[in-house]
Each structure stands twice: as structure tokens, then as C-alpha cells.
């Protein structure tokens, strides 16, 4: 057995860890006793040689260490991870994420649940376990046992982040798919009394955008008797809520035919289970930026803009802000008088206030009277305990 991997950090990185930041970048590591392998647990000692932290080491990632324990040494084994999973579960139970018509939500949100690089979502009785770092491949059997005992799924689907798939197969012989019994794909689950399918094997994220649940509910409540345009619709989540609330029509716009087919199925699923009144439904397969520039003005009573991340890196930040402004401007153009604009961003590099200000400024520039109805951040099943984890924000404006 090689000696334990031991690190020492530069003062700034050390202070950040002490303040609770879970990431140490490669330039924060001052010295280490040996090179280290992807997925190893490393022990960090402070400048006085006292125990500082434990974290998952990865020499292949610029985030060299993901810290999961600070100040107090612990014995890391299955019991330790089970306790972490129990804490994450208790948080969701305390905020009643599941129950009363909701069987889909996030059990584990990575670093913000002190389980770095691990996301676990529930869709009815299926757990989707998404792994972003090699450490969980090393610990896969005990992780799986712990999840089964603490969260009691009938089925467990393993998903891997794109950059991990090759390494997972080469080094651990692990690939994506159901572990143990095969469940259904898509999985149908409930959200606030509505039915949705999650594409657990191939879909984006873990198969559905669970993070927008509360915003979908808010938008639904405002959609009665309105024509709703759902831009970047994916599987039509916002439209299904709007339809239940009595929207006059719902239109899903997405560049992907696959997404629009799923949106059609989700509406049908709810209609045939009598969870929706009849509604006029349109699908538009188009590039949203182009479509919003050239479509007829003043057509919709509610416009939802929920694009994919426009700033995957810090360098894209100002271009992303221009993108959000262009979308808001197009959204406002197709919005009737007495209309509602909902604009969301999932780019962690774009900060909440600069995003809100961009949308507000664009709205004021239209010359219409603007009233701000609400802004929102993360739902309780998507906790964010450090700045980079805050990615989702949304703003809702009424325009005369
Ligand atoms: N609002 C959705 C999630 C949106 S995810 C929900 O609540 O579930 C982003 C979607 O944008 C994806 O479905 C993707 O296919 C679509 N997309 C990406 N680029 C696009 C573009 N240029 N024009 C239209 N749709 C696009």
C-alpha cells in the first residue's frame, strides 16, 4: 500500500478551505508527498502541521481537491458516507420536498451536501446517480450499498459526466446503465400533482430539469387565460403547469425535435390522466435567438426564457450577458400588452444581480411600464453553500 497522500496548501487556499469552500485548485497546492492517483482521498495539513481537511484528489482536474471534511479528523468508510446521505435526506424531509403529489426531486446536491461530485435524483422509485469525479468510481460498491439502504430505491441508474466515461471504463470497468434490476426508461414521476417523464438513460442532466420545479409552479399560477410561449422548452415542463392553470394555449419552442416529442408526450400523459383541461398546444422547432428576432410582435401573454448555460466559462460572461439581453428583448417584442416575462439563467459565471439588472434594463429600454413581480434562486433540494454552486436565478416582470 502506498503511503497516504498528504498535501499542504498555500495560505490563500488554506484560508478558503477553513471558511468552508470545498474546492482547491491546482495552483493552491504547495506540496504533496507523491503524485497521487485520480480518486484518492488526500489528507491536508496546515502550516503548523495540524490536520486541516480531507478531500478527493484528482491530478487530471484543475479542481485538484474537493474537500468533504474540515478541521475534525474522521474515519472514512461506509458508515461515514451513510451518515452524509442521511443528513442530505433529513434536509429534504425538513423542507417537505417529496409528498403531496411530488415523487421527483434531488436527494443529493454534490459539494453543497458535503458529497462532492455526486448528484442523486429521485424519479418515483428510480434513483439516478450521477458521478462527476473519479473518487466515486473507486467507492462505487459502498456508495451503491449506502444509497440503497438509506433511500430505498427499486432501481438505480448510474450516469457519468462526459469527461469521466472513458476513464471509468478503462480503469474501473464501469459504464452507464442500471445497476442490478433494470427499471423503465423513461420513468414517469409526479411533480406537484402533474405527471412527467424523465429520460434517465439519455436525457440532459439526470433526465429532467428538477431545479425549475418552483418556478414552473409560479409560472403556472400566472398563466390562466393567457397564451404562453415556452422558449427552450425541453420536455415542456412550464407548459404543462400553464395548461393545468387554464392557459388559453401553450407553445413549446426548442431546437431539438426529441425535446418537443417529449413535451407532446408530457401534455398527453396529463390530459389522459385528467390532470389538465383541454388546451391548444403548438410546437416550434427553431433556434430561439433567430425565431425571437423575426416572429410576429405582440402575440403572447406569458413568455418564459430558460436557455442552457450561455457562459460555460468565465471568459464567456460578457457575451452571455449580451445573449440574455437579446433574448429578453426578443421575448418582450412578442409579448402582448399586460404581458408577463420570465427569464432564467443557469450560468454560474453570471452573477445573480448582473443577470437581473440586464433583464431589468432591457425591459425599461422597451419604453413599456415595468413592474417586477418576483425573483428566485435555488429550491431547498438544490442547496448551494459556496459561490460557484449558485447557478440558477430567475426574474419575472410584468410589462404594460
Ligand atoms: N425549460 C426547460 C429546460 C430547458 S433546457 C425545463 O423546464 O425543463 C434547455 C433547452 O434549450 C434544451 O432542451 C435544448 O434543446 C434547448 N436549446 C439549446 N439551444 C437552443 C437554441 N438555440 N434554440 C432553441 N432551443 C435551444
Amino acid at each position: 500500500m502506498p503511503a497516504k497522500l498528504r498535501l499542504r496548501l498555500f495560505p490563500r487556499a488554506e484560508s478558503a478551505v477553513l471558511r468552508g469552500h470545498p474546492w482547491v485548485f491546482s495552483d493552491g497546492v504547495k506540496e504533496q508527498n507523491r503524485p497521487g492517483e485520480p480518486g484518492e482521498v488526500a489528507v491536508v495539513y496546515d502550516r503548523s502541521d495540524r490536520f486541516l481537511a480531507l478531500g478527493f484528489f484528482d491530478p487530471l482536474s484543475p479542481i485538484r481537491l474537493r474537500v468533504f471534511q474540515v478541521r475534525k479528523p474522521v474515519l472514512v468508510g461506509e458508515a461515514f458516507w451513510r451518515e452524509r446521505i442521511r443528513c442530505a435526506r433529513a434536509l429534504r424531509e425538513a423542507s417537505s420536498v417529496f409528498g403531496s403529489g411530488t415523487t421527483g426531486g434531488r436527494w443529493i446536491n454534490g459539494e453543497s451536501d458535503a458529497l462532492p461530485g455526486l448528484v442523486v435524483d429521485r424519479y418515483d422509485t428510480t434513483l439516478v446517480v450521477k458521478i462527476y469525479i473519479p473518487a466515486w468510481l473507486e467507492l462505487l460498491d459502498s456508495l451503491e450499498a449506502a444509497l440503497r439502504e438509506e433511500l430505498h430505491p427499486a432501481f438505480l441508474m448510474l450516469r457519468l459526466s462526459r469527461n469521466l466515461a472513458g476513464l471509468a471504463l478503462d480503469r474501473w470497468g464501469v459504464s452507464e446503465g442500471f445497476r442490478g434490476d433494470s427499471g423503465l426508461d423513461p420513468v414517469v414521476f409526479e411533480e406537484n400533482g402533474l405527471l412527467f417523464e424523465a429520460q434517465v438513460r439519455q436525457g440532459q442532466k439526470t433526465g429532467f430539469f428538477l431545479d425549475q420545479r418552483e418556478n414552473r409552479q409560479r409560472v403556472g399560477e400566472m398563466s390562466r387565460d393567457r397564451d404562453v410561449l415556452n422558449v427552450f422548452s425541453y420536455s415542456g415542463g412550464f407548459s404543462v403547469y400553464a395548461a393545468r392553470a387554464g392557459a388559453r394555449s401553450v407553445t413549446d419552442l426548442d431546437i431539438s425535435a426529441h425535446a418537443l416529442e417529449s413535451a407532446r408526450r408530457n401534455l398527453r400523459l396529463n390530459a389522459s390522466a385528467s390532470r389538465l383541461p383541454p388546451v391548444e398546444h403548438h410546437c416550434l422547432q427553431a433556434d430561439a435567438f433567430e425565431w425571437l428576432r423575426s416572429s410576429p410582435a405582440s402575440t403572447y401573454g406569458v413568455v418564459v426564457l430558460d436557455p442552457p448555460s450561455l457562459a460555460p466559462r468565465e471568459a464567456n460572461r460578457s457575451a452571455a450577458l449580451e445573449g440574455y439581453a437579446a433574448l429578453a428583448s426578443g421575448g418582450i417584442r412578442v409579448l402582448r400588452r399586460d404581458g408577463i416575462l420570465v427569464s432564467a439563467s443557469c450560468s454560474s459565471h453570471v452573477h445573480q444581480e448582473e443577470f437581473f439588472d440586464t433583464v431589468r434594463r432591457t425591459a425599461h429600454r422597451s419604453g413599456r411600464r415595468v413592474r417586477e413581480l418576483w425573483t428566485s434562486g435555488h429550491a431547498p433540494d438544490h442547496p448551494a453553500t459556496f459561490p460557484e454552486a449558485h447557478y440558477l436565478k430567475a426574474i419575472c416582470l410584468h410589462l404594460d
Side-chain angles (χ1 to χ4, degrees), residues 243-303:
R244 174 169 66 180
R248 194 158 43 206
S249 71
V250 292
T251 301
D252 286 316
L253 187 155
D254 203 284
I255 203 160
S256 146
H258 194 69
L260 293 170
E261 280 155 25
S262 175
R264 279 194 201 96
R265 284 195 299 271
N266 279 330
L267 265 179
R268 227 179 295 133
L269 201 59
N270 285 282
S272 53
S274 307
R275 304 202 183 194
L276 292 183
V279 68
E280 191 183 317
H281 182 219
H282 305 279
C283 283
L284 298 168
Q285 190 184 354
D287 175 87
F289 290 88
E290 276 176 28
W291 191 89
L292 285 170
R293 267 198 302 271
S294 54
S295 52
S298 309
T299 313
Y300 298 98
V302 175
V303 174

Side-chain angles (χ1 to χ4, degrees), residues 117-120 128-132 157 159-161 205-206:
L118 177 68
V119 160
V120 178
V128 182
V129 178
K130 186 148 182 184
I131 289 179
Y132 292 86
M157 162 65 75
R159 298 276 306 263
L160 303 170
S161 71
K205 292 208 166 191
T206 60

Side-chain angles (χ1 to χ4, degrees), residues 204 208-209 212 216 230-235 237-238 253-256 259 286-289 306-308:
Q204 298 194 38
F208 193 76
F209 287 84
Q212 289 284 19
R216 284 191 279 269
N230 183 14
V231 186
F232 305 99
S233 65
Y234 191 53
S235 54
F238 282 100
L253 187 155
D254 203 284
I255 203 160
S256 146
D287 175 87
F289 290 88
D306 181 25

